[in-house]
């Protein structure tokens, strides 16, 4: 970035009405402005339609706008509907609205995004060029047009990332069948000019489950990290243990409200440790064991990065998931049913068994389902002695049932002999199975046998799950499940309308009361997401980015 002196007065050339343009306007007066000042409506986009300054032609300005827009279709409609009048640079200096947007772009970290993605160094260079009086008028005019349209393009890209995230979850192994509403550049820019940048971003993020709470937690932990974080908690034998443990628990609001923040009592410390353990999915003993101490000593910076990473995952959810949907966090084992206007139905999962991240719709619920065992799984069960007719398994070859005793492991692995398990009390799928629109194995069910049950989210309370999905009472659902299982007869019920289902992997989330939860990355998915995020943005020197943001967000001083 150059360091041009920007506070010298800028003289404006004399302008005349254009004879080759259908629309004419009164001859504008000349102005002089100081630091960051620009020609008052002369060398900006209005020249494309109504006026021209000596040495700056319509074709030259139009070329500058198209070049600045890149994919001009993203931006052109907005300016065409304004008769190509500028918005961000319509008065001497950048407008207040422009500075508001630039502040949000420079603070992209607030959303767990990378400000390097929005070409802020380029915008700062254009700002300097536009107001460098040593340069030719035509060069400065082109830079002004590029600054105007470049800021619009940066805002649209920022809104895109807020709308559906930086990364595509399908490239990270997710079965993510979500068609995000197309975010129209014109609508983004029009709403920003009408309601402001904050209203736009609130609309893009607010409807998502728990996004606002995650964002607040992210801001809180970043603030803690900016203040220096917390000191490590030593072993309980250390003379400073109680003092440092008190400070650590106080920093993350784990101590009781009435506890002494400098020297908590043993009772308050035990309660604070239990609260910390509950937030981290640990056994709530109230004692600082090795595992608890390890979690206590994860730095505030690392916790903030974890929260930012999970903001990206939360953005994969559609902004409007629908009035009713089922949501599972695979890292926490919590399943929730959301029904607009009612409190969420919360269910606990006993296992998630390597379930993939998934976004789909549920079309059928099967009570006492039959399990068609995949070939590799059938071979594995035989190897472990679990594939028996007493357990309800049946073998079929060319649609004919054959005795299980004559089947070999090789035949099962090759799929020449297929196995299924009857519905009922011994069935690995348990009381029910929900199947997605695009097919595949049951992935939300009530299985009982950890040695046999296939991959999926296994909920504890099948009746409550069925009641929510079918919109029945719990009593009706429980009775229907008991009857189907006793009869060992599968009962397939259509879900009308189809129910959206989302399985995310959030290793951090926050409650409405501000309680923040963390879970270890037991599936090793954080590293892959971090790599994808880094690959999406070209690295920018942090000092240069900071200097660019200082230049862009400093309100210009102008002469009246």
């Amino acid at each position: 970035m150059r360091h041009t002196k920007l506070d010298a007065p800028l003289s404006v050339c004399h302008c005349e009405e254009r004879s080759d343009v259908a629309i004419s306007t009164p001859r504008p007066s000349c102005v002089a402005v100081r630091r960051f000042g620009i020609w008052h409506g002369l060398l900006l986009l209005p020249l494309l339609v109504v006026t021209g300054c000596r040495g700056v032609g319509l074709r030259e300005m139009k070329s500058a706008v198209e070049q600045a827009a890149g994919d001009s279709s993203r931006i052109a409609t907005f300016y065409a509907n304004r008769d190509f009048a500028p918005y961000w640079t319509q008065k001497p200096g950048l407008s207040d609205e422009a500075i508001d947007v630039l502040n949000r772009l420079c603070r992209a970290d607030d959303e767990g995004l990378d400000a390097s993605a929005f070409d802020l160094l380029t915008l700062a260079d254009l700002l300097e060029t536009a107001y460098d009086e040593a340069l030719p008028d035509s060069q400065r005019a082109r830079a002004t047009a590029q600054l105007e349209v470049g800021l619009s393009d940066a805002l649209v890209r920022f809104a895109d990332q807020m709308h559906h995230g930086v990364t595509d979850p399908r490239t990270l192994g997710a079965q993510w069948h979500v068609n995000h509403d197309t975010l129209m550049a014109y609508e983004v820019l029009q709403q920003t000019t009408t309601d402001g940048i904050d209203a736009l971003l609130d609309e893009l993020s607010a409807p998502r489950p728990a996004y606002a709470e995650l964002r607040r937690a992210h801001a809180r932990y970043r603030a803690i990290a900016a203040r220096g974080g917390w000191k490590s908690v030593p072993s309980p034998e250390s003379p400073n243990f109680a003092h440092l443990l008190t400070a650590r628990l106080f920093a993350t609001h784990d101590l009781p409200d009435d506890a002494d923040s400098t020297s908590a009592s043993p009772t308050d410390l035990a309660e604070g440790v239990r609260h910390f353990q509950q937030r981290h999915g640990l056994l709530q003993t109230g004692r600082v064991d090795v595992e608890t101490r390890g979690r206590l000593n994860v730095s505030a910076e690392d916790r903030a990065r974890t929260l930012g990473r999970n903001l990206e995952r939360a953005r994969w959810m559609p902004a409007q998931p629908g009035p009713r949907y089922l949501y599972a966090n695979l890292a926490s084992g919590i399943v929730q049913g959301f029904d607009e206007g009612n409190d969420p139905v919360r269910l606990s999962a006993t296992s998630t068994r390597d379930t993939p991240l998934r976004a789909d719709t549920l079309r059928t619920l099967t009570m006492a389902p039959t399990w068609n065992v995949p070939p590799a799984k059938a071979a594995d069960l035989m190897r472990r002695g679990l594939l028996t007719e007493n357990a309800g398994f049946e073998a079929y070859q060319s649609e004919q049932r054959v005795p299980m005793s004559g089947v070999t492991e090789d035949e099962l692995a090759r799929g020449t002999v297929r196995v299924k398990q009857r519905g009922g009390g011994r069935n690995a799928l348990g009381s029910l199975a929900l199947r997605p629109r695009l097919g595949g194995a049951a992935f939300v069910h009530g299985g009982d046998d950890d040695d046999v049950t296939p991959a999926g989210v296994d909920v504890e309370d099948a009746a409550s799950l069925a009641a929510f999905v079918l919109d029945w009472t719990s009593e009706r659902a429980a009775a229907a499940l008991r009857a189907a299982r006793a009869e060992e007869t599968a009962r397939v019920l259509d879900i009308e309308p189809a129910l959206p289902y989302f399985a995310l992997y959030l290793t951090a989330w926050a409650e409405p009361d501000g309680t923040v939860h963390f879970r270890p990355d037991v599936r090793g998915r954080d590293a892959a997401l971090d790599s994808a995020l880094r690959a999406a943005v070209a690295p920018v020197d942090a000092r240069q980015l900071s200097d660019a943001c200082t230049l862009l967000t400093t309100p210009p001083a102008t002469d009246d």
Side-chain angles (χ1 to χ4, degrees), residues 3 35 47 55 88 109 159 212 231 255 272 299 308 376 394 454 508 526 543:
H3 297 282
R35 185 172 181 263
L47 293 171
W88 313 114
D109 278 351
K231 293 182 179 179
L255 287 174
S299 71
E394 300 173 348
D526 284 353
R543 178 61 181 271

Side-chain angles (χ1 to χ4, degrees), residues 462-485:
S464 293
L465 176 63
F468 174 80
V469 170
L470 299 171
D471 202 14
W472 289 1
T473 64
S474 296
E475 293 78 10
R476 180 185 176 187
L481 287 167
R482 283 195 301 271
R485 199 159 189 179

Side-chain angles (χ1 to χ4, degrees), residues 160-178:
D160 277 339
Q161 293 190 6
M162 285 290 297
H163 183 54
H164 53 68
V166 179
T167 56
D168 183 345
R170 293 172 298 181
T171 65
L172 297 167
Q175 299 173 13
W176 208 254
H177 307 292
V178 170

Side-chain angles (χ1 to χ4, degrees), residues 29-229:
S29 61
C30 294
V31 296
V33 296
R34 295 183 65 83
R35 185 172 181 263
F36 295 102
I38 63 174
W39 294 292
H40 186 63
L42 299 180
L43 295 179
L44 300 177
L45 297 182
L47 293 171
L48 296 176
V49 178
V50 296
T51 64
C53 199
R54 197 161 51 241
V56 182
L58 177 62
R59 292 177 183 170
E60 183 180 28
M61 289 299 293
K62 187 173 182 180
S63 173
V65 171
E66 290 176 350
Q67 180 183 357
D71 176 10
S72 59
S73 63
R74 287 171 61 90
I75 305 298
T77 301
F78 171 72
Y79 286 108
N81 285 356
R82 290 178 55 82
D83 291 333
F84 291 96
Y87 181 73
W88 313 114
T89 53
Q90 61 184 321
K91 68 176 186 177
L94 290 169
S95 67
D96 292 341
E97 293 81 3
I99 293 174
D100 286 344
V101 169
L102 287 164
N103 267 306
R104 290 303 293 259
L105 296 178
C106 287
R107 299 195 335 262
D109 278 351
D110 291 352
E111 306 291 344
L113 299 174
D114 190 340
S116 302
F118 308 114
D119 294 333
L120 295 170
L121 270 63
T122 300
L123 294 180
D125 280 340
L126 289 169
L127 182 64
E128 288 188 313
T129 299
Y131 308 127
D132 185 350
E133 64 176 3
L135 297 175
D137 291 345
S138 59
Q139 184 177 348
R140 299 166 72 187
R142 284 194 298 272
T144 301
Q146 291 171 348
L147 175 62
E148 167 75 31
V149 185
L151 178 52
S152 292
D153 191 62
L155 171 59
V156 171
R157 281 184 281 127
F158 182 54
D160 277 339
Q161 293 190 6
M162 285 290 297
H163 183 54
H164 53 68
V166 179
T167 56
D168 183 345
R170 293 172 298 181
T171 65
L172 297 167
Q175 299 173 13
W176 208 254
H177 307 292
V178 170
N179 293 321
H180 285 282
D181 294 334
T182 301
L183 200 60
M184 302 300 292
Y186 170 76
E187 294 174 355
V188 168
L189 295 168
Q190 190 63 37
Q191 182 170 350
T192 305
T193 60
T194 303
D195 302 325
I197 180 66
D198 290 341
L200 169 71
L201 298 182
D202 286 345
E203 182 172 324
L204 289 173
S205 62
R208 288 188 171 91
Y211 187 88
E213 291 85 353
L214 248 180
R215 188 181 184 279
R216 285 192 290 270
H218 180 239
R220 197 173 99 206
Y221 275 76
R222 287 182 68 211
I224 293 173
R227 293 193 298 267

Side-chain angles (χ1 to χ4, degrees), residues 367-368 423-426 431 479-490:
M367 297 183 177
R426 293 177 176 273
S431 298
L481 287 167
R482 283 195 301 271
R485 199 159 189 179
E487 295 169 3
E488 296 190 354
T489 301

Side-chain angles (χ1 to χ4, degrees), residues 323-327 335-340 342-347 362 365 432 434 461-474 477 495-497 499-501:
R324 298 186 81 248
Y325 61 94
L326 197 63
Y327 168 82
V335 180
Q336 290 177 287
F338 288 88
D339 191 353
E340 195 170 58
N342 298 303
D343 291 335
V345 175
R346 188 179 179 116
L347 304 166
L362 302 174
L365 182 150
L432 62 85
L434 286 88
D461 188 347
S464 293
L465 176 63
F468 174 80
V469 170
L470 299 171
D471 202 14
W472 289 1
T473 64
S474 296
I495 301 171
E496 295 289 350
L499 186 68
Y501 170 81

Side-chain angles (χ1 to χ4, degrees), residues 194-265:
T194 303
D195 302 325
I197 180 66
D198 290 341
L200 169 71
L201 298 182
D202 286 345
E203 182 172 324
L204 289 173
S205 62
R208 288 188 171 91
Y211 187 88
E213 291 85 353
L214 248 180
R215 188 181 184 279
R216 285 192 290 270
H218 180 239
R220 197 173 99 206
Y221 275 76
R222 287 182 68 211
I224 293 173
R227 293 193 298 267
W230 46 68
K231 293 182 179 179
S232 294
V233 176
S235 65
E237 295 77 23
S238 170
N240 292 328
F241 171 74
H243 174 71
L244 291 172
L245 178 61
T246 298
R248 172 64 185 85
L249 296 174
F250 180 77
T252 47
H253 302 175
D254 287 300
L255 287 174
D257 292 339
D258 57 353
D260 188 328
S261 61
T262 58
S263 181
S265 68

